[in-house]
Amino acid sequence: MEKTDLLDVTINQALSLAYFIHGDKTLALQIVTSALNKLEVAVQAQDKRLYYEPQGRTTARKARNRINYNEKHLLQRLIYLESEPYEKEKEREGKLDERRMITHFIKHLVKITLKRNSFYVALGISRLLHNYTTAEAMEIYNLVVQDPERARDDYYYRSRKGRLMQEMKERFGDLLNLIKVNRGEERFEPRPSSKQFNGFVFDCLDNFTPWATACVIPSSYNPFATSLKELEFDSQDPDAEHHIEINRTHTILHPDCFTRLVKALKLNPPNDRLEIPNFNLSTSATDNHRNDPPTFGRDELEAIKSSLDEQAHRRKRFSAGLLKVVVDGALMGEIDLQRVCNLQVEIAEGAELIEIIGNSKNEEVRLASCFIQAHQPTSKNTITLEGGQEITFSQAHKIDQYGEVETSTLNIDYRETRAFKAAALAINHRINRLGDALRINNLAGVIKPALAFMLVALLGLGVWFFAIKGDPRPLEQADHNQSSPQPENPEVTPNQSPDSKQADNRDEPNSGKIQNQDKQEKPQKPRKSDNDRLIASDRKPTNPEDADAVKPGTRSTQPAVSGLALSEIKLIGIQISCDDAHCQELRTRLIEGLSASNRFAFTNDLNKADALLKISDIRETPNDSQASVIARLANAKGFVLFPANRGGSGNRYRGQPAEVAQKIINDLLEESLKAAKHPAGNKQ
């Protein structure tokens, strides 16, 4: 197929998606045109290969914490971003029907989870769009990720669910109501019945599934008999996980694949667990929602392409003027290129897209776009414009022990690569600084003619200098060093991380001096002990579904330590999510079993405990005559050690409390013996 034909197919696919969201042909054309213009200047940065050491993971294998989408998936995300202002405007007007609001809700849920990773996609679909329990959500994700090392305990799931609900509430405001349900869990108030929208939700998820991705879940799949290589990451190359993450995301979002997934786990089908919010809509809201996209003609496609060509031509004509730095549509700062060529801004957690908009000769043009890459502590991406200018995005993130962002800093640097323009820009910087020092506005009549003469002379000298030397960077760098505030650490510039410093200095004339300074070691902060973290973990709510009561604390910036392995566990604490007679008896029997095992011992002192045995009550009714629980053992770092064969989601037990307690102890002893025989594979 010709390249032009491929572009037409992509544009038509984008128009169909925009029309599905809004049901407006004219609006769909506007959204897709704007999204494609941003894509033109975003792809180079996103396709950059980045390597890093993941946080809270074994060092034996590197892996991405977020996915590096290809161009089509970037275009989908840009359509979601471009659609949002129009969605909010319609919501304020109060003329939307329930189906359109469902579309907005699911689209935004997909948008805020896709920008993170497949874990958040699984959490959002299973816990916010459907009412699967925390334990069931753990089973769903553990099956999708096919990696026991990534299993987390229920606290991690509840705290991240709370974060997603907060973002959804901030987006929709009074259109959503929060309620408390069983065991104090906070959820969005559901409409009385969601079954009539099963087919429509299916269509929404089908449209929002990443383009050009395939189904990898067989129609009859037994997760306990076979593994899926398409979902399993076992490479040494972190970039290799990109395609695996795409497969995982497809499996969760695509309605057919998700149905097969929960069926394999013997859970209730999605249609029975769908829980649509009860939106506060006007009774007169009429939107006439239509899903059948119209035909977009050749003239409309050519108009979009002409817009792309015009933007490229305007970027080529751009000369140093004023740069606006925009993050998610909000102006964060400006760079007057006649005075400086760099800017540092702070980025809010959860921000997604950075844009650089140039203003030269009263003409605005979008010069560069870059998705915020919060999957690693630092990143550096450079985009070269059609006119030869370079814009560099340097991102630095403070990452918590789970590999997620706490705070972010962004540095933007602009550089002219052509000798004449670089010399002229550097001279302008010096003249403007001199003018500021002399308060040129008061002496304009005398000094301006002299400065004009000096400018002509310096331009001639600059052209000669760059013609001889052939490299504008020393002068550009000298100007940058004079105009920028110096960092506290003289070894690292504001746009460099310590890890990338040595590579960046290969082009600098004094790089040898800087490389010698790399040998100096920085003092490290003391790391909390395993017992300290276990105590902090057990101050969290005991109810497994209590999402709103959990608030994430401040975490260390040091790489997380995995904690003790199962073969090293001795003292065990017990946490049970209920306190009726059945649970009290179960606790007593578990304590007796640990004491009689000659392998483990029970302790009430969490300062001494090596691990915590968590028992989640899953009885459908409190009056059930038998105990029905899920059991898992987590060490002080939150890594699930038992069960190993279920990826950390927990083993299910049902029966009389004494019988259940004995089964749990027996299974725990059996896995402990296996771990002792194979200690190398037992480390989390």
Side-chain angles (χ1 to χ4, degrees), residues 88-104:
K88 291 180 178 179
E89 182 179 354
K90 290 182 179 181
E91 290 163 13
R92 285 193 296 268
E93 294 174 354
K95 297 180 180 179
L96 296 179
D97 64 8
E98 194 168 13
R99 284 177 174 249
R100 188 68 65 193
M101 277 305 308
I102 293 172
T103 306
H104 291 185

Side-chain angles (χ1 to χ4, degrees), residues 401-419:
Q401 68 186 65
Y402 295 113
E404 298 183 4
V405 174
E406 289 183 346
T407 58
S408 303
T409 303
L410 169 69
N411 281 283
I412 298 101
D413 286 278
Y414 176 93
R415 188 173 81 92
E416 292 280 1
T417 61
R418 296 178 180 178

Side-chain angles (χ1 to χ4, degrees), residues 538-557:
D538 274 85
R539 286 173 183 163
K540 300 155 192 168
T542 57
N543 290 338
E545 304 297 331
D546 190 0
D548 60 304
V550 178
K551 298 189 181 297
T554 303
R555 301 184 178 91
S556 169
T557 60

